């Protein structure tokens, strides 16, 4: 008994009942069949379901085994009374265990559940979102609930009703203009039966979460890359930038209209958002491309560009053979100064070139382009033409002379306008009259200047110019000029050489100046010796030394050797740093008529004595002057530089030192 009870508890714990079943039909049509469904809380278990429906009319239970499926289709014929309340529940069986769901009591005829709504289209403009929804299949009025939010924010809800027998259910939702939103909708049948009320109908499932992008304000910006081939085709690569991230939510498609065949209808191409490039081959004629960017809430304004034709040729050119062409297209138009007049372009699939030459206006230049299609669209021929040519009716304009010299002048002019040429210009004719002669020159039709040489100095000339076609020459335009009597100033060659020389001189001077400044900063200047400008007064009996030009001063220093006399009598003001030697020079008083005296040096033992006639100021030596203490040898020389004076000490025989 204990074992049986334990087994029952464990078994009951392994059976989990389902949710309450929902039984409904998908429209208000009374002949519709029914569906019952429920949620399976434990789908991993190997369990089966049995649906029970109480038939109040027959007072019996209708049960249906659904296996492991949680949804059951029930034909109307199998059900009993559907206009009165009916109890419905689901029994779950796991192995030998069973459990029942809660019961529901419904009037099946009033239980309607629509499919979840589908947004057929939506358009966003000026803060409004216009929704177009698919109608339920019974085409009855419906109650909708809509909820919306900015990403990551709380939902906002609203309900609205639609009318019967409309093609689409429409609704307008007011949103902020530059904000991305998310929306969902669900709907409920609006019942009008007396035994039913709105509470019996079921809400549909919520529609899929839909992101609402911003509307596309700026059309795509197109960039073209062109490669011209010599076989009459051009490869065009079209690229454009993607729209903003807020505008591409939900995807963007690009609708293109291409007009690449002059005699055909525009070709429409639709590209997905992943493709932002497009390659196409076109003819030499002009082509047009327009593109529109479309997202979930609208489309941009169309962006149209014209691919211009290749440059017009001045002669007829054939690019390919036209015998195997499957299709032909001939277009022609009037030209004025090389430009196309779009309104005058004519096209034909059947006419030949000889036919259009008889139709166009006389003396007016036209242009034709012949296109063919075999494996691809390509241009076969391009050619300017006249039906009949005539002579120009006007001469060149803006005629003037420049660069006048004593023997040459340059003549300048403007082309004759195409409308006044009345034919193909073969060349320009120039007449130069002066000095009793007239010369003629022919200039190619594409030139607008000509150098006239070999003129005479100081001569007046009359120059005329006119254009000429196969039919003859037109009116001429005249200008008068006079050459210089002689060459004035330097020629341009000499001016160029002179300018180069001046520039070279300036560069040399600037570089030299900069180099000196730089050298001074790196290498300081050695100071020059400061030479005393005092003059020495010599006795009259001495030799005239005026011939000596160098300012070189010599004096003798006598080393003191056991002097017998003391030098204490030397006036302190008159002694110098030389008193350490055996020489003392006294400065005489600057009195007119007196002669200076030199102290008696007889007490000194020396081989030489200073010239007794030396007179002048006491010799002052630099404070830093010194003699080396190193052993002194005969004829040794020691140099010293102090305060701008250069001293050279030399030991002579008899122990004398000269400096």
């Amino acid at each position: 008994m204990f074992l049986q009870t334990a087994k029952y508890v464990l078994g009951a714990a392994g059976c989990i009942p389902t949710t309450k079943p929902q039984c409904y039909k998908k429209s208000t049509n009374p002949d519709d069949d029914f569906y019952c469904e429920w949620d399976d809380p434990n789908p991993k278990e190997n369990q089966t379901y049995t649906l029970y429906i109480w038939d109040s009319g027959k007072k019996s239970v209708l049960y249906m085994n659904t296996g492991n499926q949680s949804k059951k289709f029930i034909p109307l014929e199998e059900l009993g009374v559907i206009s009165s309340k009916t109890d419905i529940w689901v029994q779950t069986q796991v192995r030998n265990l069973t459990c029942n769901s809660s019961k529901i009591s419904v009037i099946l005829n009033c239980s309607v559940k629509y499919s979840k709504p589908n947004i057929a289209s939506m358009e966003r403009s000026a803060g409004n979102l216009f929704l177009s929804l698919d109608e339920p299949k019974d085409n009855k009025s419906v109650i909708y609930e809509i909820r919306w939010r900015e990403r990551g924010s709380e939902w906002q809800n609203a309900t609205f009703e639609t009318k019967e027998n409309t093609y689409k259910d429409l609704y307008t939702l007011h949103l902020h203009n530059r904000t991305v939103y998310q929306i969902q909708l669900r709907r409920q049948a609006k019942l009008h039966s007396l035994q039913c009320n709105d509470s019996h109908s079921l809400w549909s499932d919520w529609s899929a979460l839909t992101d609402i992008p911003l509307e596309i304000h700026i059309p795509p910006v197109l960039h073209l890359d062109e490669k011209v081939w010599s076989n009459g085709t051009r490869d065009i690569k079209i690229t454009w930038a993607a729209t903003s991230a807020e505008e591409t939510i939900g995807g963007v498609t690009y609708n293109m209209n291409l007009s690449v065949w002059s005699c055909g209808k525009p070709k429409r191409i639709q590209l997905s958002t992943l493709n932002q490039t497009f390659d196409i081959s076109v003819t030499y004629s002009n082509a047009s491309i327009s593109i529109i960017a479309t997202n979930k809430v609208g489309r941009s304004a169309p962006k149209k560009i014209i691919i211009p034709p290749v440059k017009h040729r001045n002669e007829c050119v054939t690019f390919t053979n036209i015998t195997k062409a499957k299709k032909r297209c001939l277009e022609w138009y009037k030209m004025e100064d090389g430009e196309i007049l779009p309104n005058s372009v004519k096209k034909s699939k059947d006419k030949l070139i000889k036919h259009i030459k008889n139709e166009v206006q006389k003396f007016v230049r036209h242009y034709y382009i012949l296109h063919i299609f075999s494996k691809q669209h390509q241009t076969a021929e391009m050619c300017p033409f006249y039906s009949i040519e005539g002579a120009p009716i006007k001469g060149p304009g803006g005629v003037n002379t420049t660069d006048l010299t004593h023997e040459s002048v340059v003549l300048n002019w403007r082309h004759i306008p195409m409308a006044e040429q009345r034919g193909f210009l073969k060349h320009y004719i120039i007449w130069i009259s002066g000095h009793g002669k007239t010369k003629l020159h022919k200039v190619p039709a594409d030139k607008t200047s000509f150098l006239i040489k070999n003129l005479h100095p100081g001569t007046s000339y009359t120059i005329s110019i006119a254009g000429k076609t196969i039919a003859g020459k037109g009116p001429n335009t005249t200008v008068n000029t006079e050459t210089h009597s002689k060459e004035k100033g330097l020629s341009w060659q000499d001016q160029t050489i002179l300018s180069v020389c001046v520039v070279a001189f300036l560069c040399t001077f600037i570089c030299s100046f900069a180099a000196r400044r730089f050298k001074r900063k790196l290498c300081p200047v050695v100071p020059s010796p400061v030479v005393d400008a005092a003059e020495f007064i010599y006795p009259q009996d001495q030799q005239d030394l005026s011939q000596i030009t160098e300012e070189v001063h010599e004096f003798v220093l006598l080393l003191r050797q056991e002097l017998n006399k003391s030098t204490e009598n030397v006036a302190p003001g008159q002694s110098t740093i030389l008193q350490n030697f055996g020489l003392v020079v006294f400065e005489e008083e600057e009195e007119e008529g007196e002669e200076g005296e030199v102290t008696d040096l007889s007490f000194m033992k020396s081989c030489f004595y200073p010239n007794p006639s030396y007179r002048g100021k006491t010799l002052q030596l630099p404070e830093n002057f010194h003699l080396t203490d190193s052993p002194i040898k005969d004829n040794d020389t020691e140099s010293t530089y102090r305060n701008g004076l250069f001293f050279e000490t030399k030991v002579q025989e008899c122990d004398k030192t000269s400096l």
Side-chain angles (χ1 to χ4, degrees):
M1 182 68 179
F2 174 78
L3 293 175
Q4 292 179 352
T5 304
K7 183 177 180 181
Y8 174 78
V9 173
L10 292 176
C15 180
I16 302 176
T18 65
T19 61
K20 292 181 180 181
Q22 281 188 346
C23 295
Y24 57 86
K25 55 183 179 179
K26 293 185 177 181
S27 72
T28 58
N29 190 341
D31 297 331
D32 277 358
D33 298 321
F34 285 82
Y35 297 85
C36 288
E37 59 185 7
W38 54 90
D39 291 334
D40 183 5
N42 193 17
K44 295 182 180 180
E45 291 291 338
N46 186 14
Q47 51 196 8
T48 59
Y49 305 103
T50 303
L51 178 65
Y52 289 90
I53 301 175
W54 170 255
D55 187 351
S56 59
K58 295 181 179 181
K59 304 297 181 179
S60 62
V61 175
L62 174 65
Y63 62 92
M64 302 175 185
N65 190 357
T66 64
N68 59 358
Q69 301 296 320
S70 59
K71 188 174 183 179
K72 179 64 176 178
F73 169 72
I74 306 174
L76 179 61
E77 294 78 10
E78 295 184 8
L79 293 174
V81 178
I82 61 174
S83 59
S84 59
K85 281 192 176 183
T86 302
D87 294 334
I88 305 174
W89 68 94
V90 176
Q91 184 183 76
T92 304
Q93 182 175 357
V94 180
R95 295 185 295 275
N96 60 344
L97 302 176
T98 60
C99 52
N100 296 329
S101 68
S102 301
K103 293 181 180 180
I104 61 169
S105 296
V106 296
I107 300 175
L108 291 177
N109 193 38
C110 299
S111 182
V112 179
K113 182 180 179 181
Y114 285 142
S115 61
K116 59 184 178 181
N118 180 42
I119 301 176
S121 65
M122 53 185 173
E123 183 177 353
R124 191 170 183 176
S125 176
N128 293 320
L129 178 64
F130 303 97
L131 297 174
S132 177
L133 309 173
D134 65 325
E135 283 193 336
K137 63 179 184 179
D138 57 7
N139 202 16
K140 298 291 184 178
S141 60
V142 181
I143 301 173
Y144 282 92
E145 181 181 6
I146 183 171
R147 62 182 183 181
W148 68 95
R149 67 179 180 183
E150 297 181 23
R151 287 183 170 181
S153 62
E154 298 294 330
W155 287 106
Q156 302 180 61
N157 294 66
T159 58
F160 62 95
E161 294 185 15
T162 60
K163 298 180 180 180
E164 296 184 3
N165 301 319
T166 57
Y167 176 69
K168 294 291 182 182
D169 289 340
L170 304 178
Y171 181 68
T172 301
L173 180 64
H174 300 286
L175 303 173
H176 293 296
N177 193 26
R178 303 300 297 174
T179 305
V180 176
Y181 286 91
Q182 294 177 322
I183 65 170
Q184 281 185 305
L185 296 103
R186 65 178 182 173
R187 55 190 172 188
Q188 184 184 48
K190 189 174 182 180
L191 304 177
H192 301 282
S193 175
L194 295 177
Q195 63 179 356
C196 303
N197 53 52
D198 295 343
S199 61
H200 290 95
S201 60
L202 303 176
W203 283 104
S204 70
D205 296 333
W206 284 102
S207 64
L209 186 64
T210 303
D211 293 311
I212 309 299
L214 302 182
E215 55 183 322
I216 302 176
H217 288 279
I218 302 175
V221 179
L222 302 181
H223 301 279
L224 300 181
D225 291 327
E226 178 187 49
K227 187 172 184 180
V228 181
W229 300 98
S230 59
N231 63 348
T233 62
R234 294 180 290 170
D235 287 342
I236 305 296
K237 185 179 184 64
I238 308 169
T239 59
W240 60 90
T243 57
S244 66
E246 292 80 6
E247 296 172 347
T248 57
I249 293 174
V252 176
T253 58
Y254 297 92
N255 299 316
M256 301 184 66
N257 288 333
L258 306 176
S259 178
V260 298
W261 179 248
S262 299
C263 297
K265 295 181 179 180
K267 181 180 180 181
R268 294 185 178 181
I269 299 176
Q270 183 170 337
L271 304 176
S272 67
T273 186
L274 299 178
N275 296 324
Q276 294 170 11
T277 62
F278 184 73
D279 298 324
I280 191 171
S281 178
V282 300
T283 64
Y284 281 0
S285 182
N286 64 327
S288 64
I289 298 175
S290 65
I291 183 171
I292 298 174
T294 305
N295 65 1
K296 295 170 64 174
V297 295
R299 58 178 58 192
S300 69
K303 179 66 176 181
K304 184 176 182 179
I305 59 173
I306 301 296
I307 303 175
V310 297
K311 186 178 180 181
H312 289 141
R313 308 297 180 93
N314 294 325
E315 69 283 343
C316 295
V317 182
T318 301
F319 302 104
T320 187
N321 189 358
I322 63 175
T323 56
K324 297 181 180 180
K326 299 178 181 178
K327 294 190 297 184
R328 295 164 49 98
C329 178
L330 181 64
E331 60 178 353
W332 66 98
Y333 43 82
K334 181 172 66 174
M335 297 179 62
E336 291 187 4
D337 293 330
E339 299 296 330
I340 300 176
L341 297 178
N343 295 331
S344 66
V345 177
K346 298 181 180 180
K347 306 171 185 178
S348 176
K349 297 180 181 179
D350 305 319
K351 289 186 178 181
L352 301 178
I353 298 173
K354 62 181 180 180
H355 297 152
I356 65 173
K357 286 186 176 181
N358 298 327
E359 298 177 1
V360 299
Q361 186 178 355
K362 297 179 180 179
F363 311 121
V364 176
R365 184 178 299 186
H366 287 74
Y367 205 87
Y368 77 80
I369 305 177
L370 177 61
H371 309 293
I372 62 171
F373 177 80
S374 54
K375 296 182 179 180
Q376 60 179 345
H377 298 103
Q378 61 185 129
T379 299
E381 292 180 5
M382 298 177 66
C383 187
F385 70 97
Y386 285 90
S387 60
I388 297 178
E389 292 189 62
I393 59 174
K394 188 178 180 180
V399 179
N400 63 85
T401 57
T402 57
D403 299 333
L404 183 65
T405 68
H406 68 289
E407 62 178 1
S408 65
V409 67
V410 175
L411 181 67
N412 305 285
W413 66 90
R414 293 194 303 269
H415 284 302
I416 302 173
M418 185 176 295
E420 297 169 348
Q421 292 179 13
R422 295 167 63 87
F424 295 107
L425 282 181
K426 299 175 67 66
H427 51 258
Y428 289 103
I429 303 175
I430 299 176
W431 296 270
I432 304 102
S433 300
H435 202 65
K437 297 181 181 179
T438 299
K439 296 182 180 179
L440 183 144
H441 296 277
K442 293 182 179 180
V443 181
D446 59 342
K447 301 294 183 181
T448 56
S449 65
F450 181 69
L451 175 62
I452 304 173
K453 300 184 291 186
N454 300 323
L455 302 179
H456 293 276
T459 304
S460 296
Y461 286 92
T462 299
I463 305 175
S464 300
I465 181 172
K468 184 178 180 181
T469 65
I470 193 173
K473 73 177 186 66
N476 56 22
T477 305
T478 302
V479 66
N480 296 318
T481 188
E482 183 177 352
T483 57
H484 294 156
S485 59
K486 60 180 180 179
E487 185 72 20
K488 293 185 178 181
L490 299 176
S491 64
W492 67 271
Q493 295 93 340
D494 295 336
Q495 292 177 3
T496 303
I497 295 173
L498 180 60
S499 300
V500 172
C501 293
V502 171
V503 172
F505 173 76
L506 291 176
C507 292
T508 304
F509 176 77
I510 294 172
C511 294
S512 176
F513 180 76
R516 290 182 181 180
R517 293 291 300 272
F518 183 71
K519 183 177 179 181
R520 287 180 182 177
K521 291 182 178 180
L522 295 180
C523 305
V525 179
V526 178
S528 301
V530 179
V531 180
D532 191 359
E535 297 181 356
F536 291 94
I537 303 176
Y538 299 95
Q540 295 180 359
D541 58 349
Q542 293 296 323
Q543 177 182 347
D544 186 10
L545 300 178
S546 61
Q547 296 179 355
I548 299 176
T549 59
E550 288 185 312
E551 291 183 340
V552 179
H553 305 280
E554 296 183 357
F555 58 90
V556 178
L557 300 180
L558 301 180
L559 294 176
R560 183 179 301 175
Q561 298 178 355
E562 298 179 359
L563 298 178
N564 296 326
K565 296 182 179 181
S566 175
T567 60
E568 296 175 356
N569 297 329
V570 178
Q574 295 174 329
S575 64
T576 67
I577 63 173
L578 296 178
Q579 58 185 321
N580 292 329
F581 298 87
L583 174 63
V584 178
V585 181
F586 292 89
E587 180 181 6
E588 65 177 350
E589 298 292 335
E590 293 183 359
E591 296 182 1
E592 187 174 352
E594 286 192 17
E595 295 183 359
E597 293 182 347
V598 180
T599 187
D600 185 10
L601 301 174
S602 61
F603 62 88
M604 299 181 182
K605 294 180 181 182
S606 179
C607 296
F608 298 97
Y609 294 92
N611 192 333
S613 300
Y614 273 50
R615 299 182 182 187
K617 298 181 179 181
T618 303
L619 179 62
Q620 299 292 334
L621 293 180
E623 294 179 0
N624 296 331
F625 176 76
H626 67 280
L627 293 177
T628 179
D629 294 335
S630 63
I632 302 176
K633 299 180 181 181
D634 291 346
N635 298 326
D636 281 357
T637 300
E638 181 179 2
S639 300
T640 305
Y641 182 86
R642 291 291 185 276
N643 297 337
L645 294 178
F646 181 81
F647 297 92
E648 181 178 304
T649 305
K650 185 176 182 182
V651 179
Q652 303 286 352
E653 298 176 2
C654 303
D655 297 330
K656 72 176 180 181
T657 301
S658 63
L659 184 64

